[in-house]
Amino acid sequence: TKRMAMLAAALALATTAQAENPKPGKWSRQSSISADGQHWSAVPPSQGCLTPADASQSIEQTLQKMVAEVTKSGCRAVDVKADGGKASGHFECQQPNGTGTVDVQATYSSDRYEMTMVGTNLADRNGSGMVVPKIYMKHEGRNIGACTG
């Protein structure tokens, strides 16, 4: 869902801008999605450039940005932590049918990150009214060299 994608992007930013500063440069990102946590479908990969300024931000600054983005999407950060190469978060999202949740676990270093997310009872943001009981996402990123252009 769009909400999970926004949370993923926010935490991906957090996991690539941690206390052990990430390498500036081009980052490759690959994501997969699953309805059961067993059978995965790949999302088209993407690439982006992490500037030296972005790479120099503290984990506190990055987490503040992440929480601001999550709040804009209608979710509330209940518990977000990052330390020693690991990050985690629990988010609650108000839905038409009650509260949905997103739980995130990530590991990171200066040149790569891996993240898993589990969303529960999240409404389809396209207005269909459908609620997804459970959705799983995996995200991986790695520094692949210098930015060009």
Side-chain angles (χ1 to χ4, degrees):
T1 68
K2 280 186 180 178
R3 187 166 281 166
M4 287 243 343
M6 183 168 290
L7 288 169
L11 201 59
L13 174 63
T15 58
T16 58
Q18 67 316 93
E20 305 127 16
N21 289 5
K23 292 180 182 175
K26 187 180 281 187
W27 282 73
S28 172
R29 295 179 295 272
Q30 176 65 51
S31 299
S32 302
I33 192 165
S34 172
D36 62 9
Q38 305 271 330
H39 304 90
W40 295 88
S41 297
V43 175
S46 64
Q47 294 182 351
C49 192
L50 186 66
T51 68
D54 289 338
S56 69
Q57 289 186 343
S58 72
I59 187 62
E60 291 82 10
Q61 291 169 314
T62 302
L63 288 175
Q64 286 172 357
K65 283 184 180 180
M66 180 186 81
V67 170
E69 286 298 314
V70 168
T71 301
K72 285 183 198 174
S73 74
C75 296
R76 176 173 77 95
V78 177
D79 187 24
V80 178
K81 299 175 190 167
D83 187 39
K86 294 183 181 182
S88 63
H90 176 76
F91 304 88
E92 292 179 350
C93 307
Q94 285 306 310
Q95 307 288 306
N97 65 327
T99 302
T101 62
V102 178
D103 289 290
V104 182
Q105 297 290 321
T107 58
Y108 55 83
S109 67
S110 64
D111 63 353
R112 65 182 47 240
Y113 67 88
E114 294 180 4
M115 175 175 39
T116 58
M117 302 175 65
V118 179
T120 306
N121 296 324
L122 297 175
D124 176 17
R125 302 300 289 171
N126 295 324
S128 72
M130 185 173 85
V131 173
V132 179
K134 203 80 133 171
I135 189 167
Y136 301 82
M137 293 182 83
K138 289 194 279 192
H139 304 279
E140 297 176 2
R142 64 185 176 92
N143 184 291
I144 57 172
C147 295
T148 56

